[in-house]
Amino acid sequence: MAALTLGQALEREHREIDGGIESFLDELDSGVRVDTSQLVTALESLRRHIYLEEVFLFPDLKAAGLMGPIFVMLREHGMLWRQLDAVTGMLAQTSETEVLRHSCATLLALLSDHNAKEEPIIYTQADDILGAVASAELRKFLIQGTMPEGWVCSSA
C-alpha cells in the first residue's frame, strides 16, 4: 500500500474531525445519554489542525505565491475558531440539546464549505510546493505534534 501524500493525510484528518462531530450529533439525535468526549476530541483536533496549517503549511505556500487562497483560508479559520469557542462554551453551560445541535451543525457547515476550497486548492499544491524539510516537519507533526497551550489562530 502506497504512503499517503501530505495532501491526502491532511484530507484524512478532515474526515476524522468531521466524523467525530457527526458521530456526536448522531448520538445526540438517538436520545440516549450523550458522551461529549468524542465531540471534545474532535474540537481539540480541529484546533490542532488549524495550528499545523497556519504554522507549518501556509507560510511556504504563501511565499510560493498562493497569497489570495491563503488569505481566504486564514479568514475562514477565524470563523471556525469563533464557532469552536461557541460550541465549547455551550458544552460547559447548557444542557439544551437543540442549541448544541444547532451550534455543531453550524460548525459542520462551515467546515464543509472550508474543506471544499482547501482540499482542491491548497492541499493539491502542498506536495508540489513544500520543500523536503517543511514536508517532513508537517508529517512529523501530524503523527505526534501538539498545539502550544494558549495558541489562537491568526484571525480569531
Side-chain angles (χ1 to χ4, degrees):
M1 182 156 123
L4 294 176
T5 67
L6 185 55
Q8 290 168 333
L10 292 166
E11 283 184 34
R12 182 180 66 197
E13 195 164 73
H14 278 179
R15 302 298 163 257
E16 291 168 356
I17 291 165
D18 295 351
I21 300 167
E22 290 164 351
S23 292
F24 172 77
L25 286 173
D26 289 345
E27 190 173 313
L28 197 62
D29 290 340
S30 73
V32 298
R33 185 172 179 268
V34 177
D35 177 10
T36 60
S37 64
Q38 65 183 343
L39 178 61
V40 169
T41 298
L43 300 178
E44 290 171 355
S45 295
L46 179 54
R47 287 187 194 276
R48 178 184 167 272
H49 184 85
I50 290 170
Y51 169 79
L52 78 88
E53 288 179 347
E54 291 196 8
V55 172
F56 297 102
L57 182 62
F58 291 175
D60 286 347
L61 296 179
K62 188 176 176 184
L66 289 174
M67 288 182 256
I70 297 301
F71 175 76
V72 171
M73 295 297 102
L74 292 171
R75 182 176 49 80
E76 290 181 1
H77 280 178
M79 293 169 28
L80 289 164
W81 201 271
R82 288 185 292 278
Q83 190 63 28
L84 280 163
D85 286 345
V87 172
T88 302
M90 286 178 194
L91 280 172
Q93 298 173 2
T94 186
S95 61
E96 288 192 41
T97 57
E98 199 53 45
V99 173
L100 186 55
R101 178 183 292 107
H102 176 72
S103 189
C104 288
T106 299
L107 179 59
L108 276 175
L110 289 171
L111 280 170
S112 177
D113 184 53
H114 178 76
N115 294 349
K117 289 178 256 180
E118 188 170 60
E119 291 171 3
I121 296 169
I122 303 298
Y123 291 173
T124 57
Q125 300 289 320
D127 294 309
D128 295 333
I129 292 174
L130 288 182
V133 172
S135 185
E137 283 180 7
L138 209 154
R139 284 180 181 280
K140 182 178 177 184
F141 188 87
L142 276 168
I143 296 167
Q144 64 189 26
T146 58
M147 184 179 82
E149 186 155 341
W151 184 88
V152 176
C153 78
S154 63
S155 296

Short mmCIF file of all heavy atoms in Angstrom, two decimals, residues 30-56:
data_model
loop_
_atom_site.label_atom_id
_atom_site.label_comp_id
_atom_site.label_asym_id
_atom_site.label_seq_id
_atom_site.Cartn_x
_atom_site.Cartn_y
_atom_site.Cartn_z
N SER A 30 -30.11 10.26 18.89
CA SER A 30 -30.63 8.95 19.28
C SER A 30 -31.41 9.00 20.59
O SER A 30 -32.16 8.08 20.90
CB SER A 30 -29.49 7.94 19.40
OG SER A 30 -28.72 8.20 20.56
N GLY A 31 -31.20 10.07 21.37
CA GLY A 31 -31.93 10.21 22.62
C GLY A 31 -31.32 9.50 23.79
O GLY A 31 -31.84 9.56 24.90
N VAL A 32 -30.20 8.81 23.58
CA VAL A 32 -29.53 8.15 24.71
C VAL A 32 -28.63 9.16 25.41
O VAL A 32 -28.40 10.26 24.92
CB VAL A 32 -28.70 6.94 24.23
CG1 VAL A 32 -29.59 5.90 23.60
CG2 VAL A 32 -27.59 7.35 23.30
N ARG A 33 -28.14 8.76 26.55
CA ARG A 33 -27.22 9.63 27.29
C ARG A 33 -26.02 9.94 26.40
O ARG A 33 -25.40 9.05 25.83
CB ARG A 33 -26.74 8.92 28.56
CG ARG A 33 -25.88 9.81 29.42
CD ARG A 33 -25.59 9.13 30.76
NE ARG A 33 -24.77 9.98 31.57
CZ ARG A 33 -23.44 9.92 31.57
NH1 ARG A 33 -22.81 9.03 30.83
NH2 ARG A 33 -22.72 10.74 32.33
N VAL A 34 -25.70 11.20 26.28
CA VAL A 34 -24.67 11.65 25.35
C VAL A 34 -23.33 11.75 26.04
O VAL A 34 -23.19 12.35 27.10
CB VAL A 34 -25.05 13.02 24.74
CG1 VAL A 34 -23.97 13.53 23.83
CG2 VAL A 34 -26.37 12.90 23.99
N ASP A 35 -22.33 11.15 25.42
CA ASP A 35 -20.95 11.24 25.88
C ASP A 35 -20.29 12.36 25.06
O ASP A 35 -20.13 12.24 23.85
CB ASP A 35 -20.23 9.92 25.65
CG ASP A 35 -18.75 9.97 26.02
OD1 ASP A 35 -18.33 10.97 26.64
OD2 ASP A 35 -18.04 9.01 25.70
N THR A 36 -19.93 13.44 25.71
CA THR A 36 -19.36 14.58 25.00
C THR A 36 -17.87 14.42 24.70
O THR A 36 -17.31 15.24 23.99
CB THR A 36 -19.55 15.89 25.80
OG1 THR A 36 -18.90 15.76 27.06
CG2 THR A 36 -21.03 16.21 25.99
N SER A 37 -17.27 13.35 25.18
CA SER A 37 -15.81 13.21 24.99
C SER A 37 -15.42 13.13 23.52
O SER A 37 -14.39 13.67 23.12
CB SER A 37 -15.27 12.01 25.76
OG SER A 37 -15.82 10.81 25.24
N GLN A 38 -16.25 12.47 22.68
CA GLN A 38 -15.90 12.40 21.26
C GLN A 38 -15.99 13.77 20.59
O GLN A 38 -15.20 14.09 19.71
CB GLN A 38 -16.77 11.38 20.53
CG GLN A 38 -18.23 11.73 20.46
CD GLN A 38 -19.05 10.64 19.79
OE1 GLN A 38 -18.52 9.78 19.12
NE2 GLN A 38 -20.35 10.68 19.99
N LEU A 39 -16.95 14.59 21.02
CA LEU A 39 -17.03 15.94 20.49
C LEU A 39 -15.85 16.77 20.95
O LEU A 39 -15.24 17.48 20.15
CB LEU A 39 -18.35 16.61 20.90
CG LEU A 39 -18.52 18.05 20.41
CD1 LEU A 39 -18.50 18.13 18.89
CD2 LEU A 39 -19.81 18.66 20.96
N VAL A 40 -15.51 16.68 22.21
CA VAL A 40 -14.36 17.43 22.74
C VAL A 40 -13.09 17.03 21.98
O VAL A 40 -12.29 17.90 21.60
CB VAL A 40 -14.22 17.21 24.26
CG1 VAL A 40 -12.90 17.75 24.78
CG2 VAL A 40 -15.39 17.84 25.00
N THR A 41 -12.91 15.75 21.72
CA THR A 41 -11.75 15.29 20.96
C THR A 41 -11.74 15.88 19.56
O THR A 41 -10.70 16.34 19.07
CB THR A 41 -11.73 13.75 20.90
OG1 THR A 41 -11.61 13.24 22.23
CG2 THR A 41 -10.59 13.24 20.05
N ALA A 42 -12.89 15.89 18.89
CA ALA A 42 -12.99 16.45 17.54
C ALA A 42 -12.67 17.94 17.55
O ALA A 42 -11.97 18.45 16.67
CB ALA A 42 -14.36 16.19 16.95
N LEU A 43 -13.18 18.67 18.55
CA LEU A 43 -12.92 20.11 18.64
C LEU A 43 -11.44 20.38 18.87
O LEU A 43 -10.85 21.28 18.25
CB LEU A 43 -13.76 20.73 19.76
CG LEU A 43 -15.28 20.63 19.63
CD1 LEU A 43 -15.96 21.25 20.84
CD2 LEU A 43 -15.79 21.22 18.33
N GLU A 44 -10.82 19.62 19.76
CA GLU A 44 -9.39 19.78 20.01
C GLU A 44 -8.58 19.42 18.76
O GLU A 44 -7.58 20.09 18.46
CB GLU A 44 -8.96 18.91 21.19
CG GLU A 44 -9.48 19.40 22.53
CD GLU A 44 -9.25 18.41 23.67
OE1 GLU A 44 -8.75 17.28 23.44
OE2 GLU A 44 -9.59 18.78 24.81
N SER A 45 -9.01 18.40 18.05
CA SER A 45 -8.32 18.01 16.81
C SER A 45 -8.43 19.09 15.75
O SER A 45 -7.46 19.34 15.01
CB SER A 45 -8.90 16.70 16.27
OG SER A 45 -8.65 15.64 17.15
N LEU A 46 -9.58 19.74 15.68
CA LEU A 46 -9.74 20.83 14.71
C LEU A 46 -8.84 22.00 15.06
O LEU A 46 -8.19 22.58 14.18
CB LEU A 46 -11.21 21.26 14.63
CG LEU A 46 -11.52 22.40 13.66
CD1 LEU A 46 -10.99 22.12 12.25
CD2 LEU A 46 -13.02 22.67 13.64
N ARG A 47 -8.77 22.35 16.33
CA ARG A 47 -7.86 23.44 16.73
C ARG A 47 -6.42 23.09 16.38
O ARG A 47 -5.68 23.92 15.86
CB ARG A 47 -7.99 23.71 18.23
CG ARG A 47 -9.28 24.40 18.61
CD ARG A 47 -9.28 24.79 20.09
NE ARG A 47 -10.58 25.14 20.58
CZ ARG A 47 -11.14 26.34 20.46
NH1 ARG A 47 -10.49 27.30 19.85
NH2 ARG A 47 -12.34 26.56 20.96
N ARG A 48 -6.03 21.87 16.65
CA ARG A 48 -4.66 21.42 16.34
C ARG A 48 -4.42 21.43 14.82
O ARG A 48 -3.36 21.82 14.36
CB ARG A 48 -4.45 20.00 16.89
CG ARG A 48 -3.11 19.40 16.60
CD ARG A 48 -3.08 17.95 17.14
NE ARG A 48 -1.94 17.25 16.63
CZ ARG A 48 -1.88 16.57 15.48
NH1 ARG A 48 -2.93 16.50 14.70
NH2 ARG A 48 -0.79 15.95 15.11
N HIS A 49 -5.41 21.04 14.06
CA HIS A 49 -5.31 21.02 12.60
C HIS A 49 -5.11 22.45 12.06
O HIS A 49 -4.28 22.68 11.18
CB HIS A 49 -6.56 20.38 12.01
CG HIS A 49 -6.53 20.23 10.53
ND1 HIS A 49 -5.95 19.15 9.90
CD2 HIS A 49 -6.99 21.04 9.54
CE1 HIS A 49 -6.07 19.29 8.59
NE2 HIS A 49 -6.70 20.44 8.35
N ILE A 50 -5.88 23.39 12.59
CA ILE A 50 -5.73 24.79 12.18
C ILE A 50 -4.33 25.27 12.52
O ILE A 50 -3.68 25.95 11.72
CB ILE A 50 -6.82 25.67 12.84
CG1 ILE A 50 -8.19 25.33 12.23
CG2 ILE A 50 -6.49 27.15 12.70
CD1 ILE A 50 -9.37 25.97 12.95
N TYR A 51 -3.85 24.92 13.71
CA TYR A 51 -2.49 25.30 14.12
C TYR A 51 -1.45 24.77 13.13
O TYR A 51 -0.60 25.52 12.65
CB TYR A 51 -2.21 24.77 15.53
CG TYR A 51 -0.75 24.88 15.93
CD1 TYR A 51 -0.24 26.10 16.36
CD2 TYR A 51 0.10 23.78 15.86
CE1 TYR A 51 1.10 26.21 16.71
CE2 TYR A 51 1.43 23.89 16.21
CZ TYR A 51 1.93 25.11 16.64
OH TYR A 51 3.26 25.23 16.98
N LEU A 52 -1.52 23.49 12.79
CA LEU A 52 -0.50 22.93 11.92
C LEU A 52 -0.54 23.57 10.54
O LEU A 52 0.50 23.79 9.92
CB LEU A 52 -0.58 21.40 11.84
CG LEU A 52 -1.63 20.72 10.99
CD1 LEU A 52 -1.13 20.53 9.56
CD2 LEU A 52 -1.94 19.35 11.57
N GLU A 53 -1.72 23.91 10.06
CA GLU A 53 -1.79 24.58 8.76
C GLU A 53 -1.17 25.97 8.83
O GLU A 53 -0.38 26.35 7.96
CB GLU A 53 -3.24 24.69 8.30
CG GLU A 53 -3.82 23.36 7.87
CD GLU A 53 -5.26 23.45 7.43
OE1 GLU A 53 -5.94 24.48 7.67
OE2 GLU A 53 -5.72 22.45 6.84
N GLU A 54 -1.53 26.73 9.85
CA GLU A 54 -1.05 28.11 9.93
C GLU A 54 0.44 28.20 10.23
O GLU A 54 1.11 29.12 9.78
CB GLU A 54 -1.86 28.90 10.95
CG GLU A 54 -3.29 29.12 10.48
CD GLU A 54 -4.04 30.20 11.23
OE1 GLU A 54 -3.44 30.93 12.06
OE2 GLU A 54 -5.26 30.31 10.99
N VAL A 55 0.97 27.24 10.96
CA VAL A 55 2.39 27.29 11.35
C VAL A 55 3.29 26.56 10.35
O VAL A 55 4.36 27.06 10.01
CB VAL A 55 2.56 26.72 12.78
CG1 VAL A 55 4.03 26.57 13.13
CG2 VAL A 55 1.87 27.63 13.78
N PHE A 56 2.88 25.40 9.88
CA PHE A 56 3.75 24.57 9.04
C PHE A 56 3.45 24.65 7.55
O PHE A 56 4.37 24.53 6.74
CB PHE A 56 3.67 23.10 9.47
CG PHE A 56 4.15 22.84 10.85
CD1 PHE A 56 3.26 22.65 11.90
CD2 PHE A 56 5.51 22.79 11.13
CE1 PHE A 56 3.72 22.42 13.18
CE2 PHE A 56 5.97 22.56 12.41
CZ PHE A 56 5.08 22.37 13.44
#
